Amino acid sequence: MSAASSSIARVPLVDRTAATGTVRAVLDQVHGAFGATPNMFRAVANSPAALQSMWGAFGALGGGVIGAALGEQIAVAVANRNACDYCLAAHTALGRKAGVSGEALAAAQAGESADPRTAAVLRFVLQLVNERGQVDAADVQALRDQGVNDEQIVEIVAHVALNLFTNYVNVALGVPVDFPGVKLRLAH
């Protein structure tokens, strides 16, 4: 069942204004960053540790070396592969905000890109997801052949891990989508 097909979350959505302590502090940061408090963070706020982990990972990777545009294309590819309506909608909106065209985001859903470097990254990302991390030296070398360095490779894996976390939260907990909807593409 996808998040979009569920109208009621399977855990309470924490109200930022009623939250206290660490949860309130983190939700205030989230609200400041988005101008609203997305439902995903409200669901994760049921666990202060999970909320701090997720928000900290977003902050750390947001300041990383691969850049927002590629990070959002990775997120869209992973969300589409995992049939996460929530993350697909959120990262399509964030990708557009990062300057990625609608066409490039639609291509990323299928793990494709007109840019050879981005295409290699997206192929690797989907291989990580499909094979549950079981890639080999040749797969990593294919990234290096496109000019992706070791720092970027490790960061790409971290983006995949974060997106698996968010996808699983949204799908498993039926978090209602509060971003403009995007149609999932069938896997090839």
Side-chain angles (χ1 to χ4, degrees), residues 60-128:
L61 293 175
V65 296
I66 69 166
L70 183 55
E72 296 304 336
Q73 288 171 297
I74 290 168
V76 164
V78 174
N80 191 80
R81 185 55 47 100
N82 288 321
C84 181
D85 292 314
Y86 191 99
C87 288
L88 181 58
H91 290 288
T92 296
L94 293 168
R96 288 186 179 170
K97 187 176 178 183
V100 183
S101 72
E103 296 78 20
L105 289 164
Q109 281 184 253
E112 300 168 357
S113 175
D115 174 64
R117 181 178 180 274
T118 301
V121 168
L122 295 176
R123 276 192 303 275
F124 179 77
V125 160
L126 291 180
Q127 186 173 15
L128 278 174

Side-chain angles (χ1 to χ4, degrees), residues 14 119 185:
V14 174
R185 293 180 63 172

Side-chain angles (χ1 to χ4, degrees), residues 73-176:
Q73 288 171 297
I74 290 168
V76 164
V78 174
N80 191 80
R81 185 55 47 100
N82 288 321
C84 181
D85 292 314
Y86 191 99
C87 288
L88 181 58
H91 290 288
T92 296
L94 293 168
R96 288 186 179 170
K97 187 176 178 183
V100 183
S101 72
E103 296 78 20
L105 289 164
Q109 281 184 253
E112 300 168 357
S113 175
D115 174 64
R117 181 178 180 274
T118 301
V121 168
L122 295 176
R123 276 192 303 275
F124 179 77
V125 160
L126 291 180
Q127 186 173 15
L128 278 174
V129 173
N130 292 339
E131 302 302 324
R132 292 177 280 189
Q134 301 296 320
V135 297
D136 59 30
D139 300 316
V140 174
Q141 186 59 46
L143 289 175
R144 288 190 180 110
D145 292 346
Q146 290 296 323
V148 181
N149 67 34
D150 292 339
E151 181 180 7
Q152 294 164 327
I153 291 167
V154 172
E155 195 170 302
I156 288 163
V157 174
H159 272 269
V160 171
L162 174 57
N163 283 285
L164 290 173
F165 180 16
T166 63
N167 289 182
Y168 290 1
V169 162
N170 290 305
V171 173
L173 302 180
V175 178

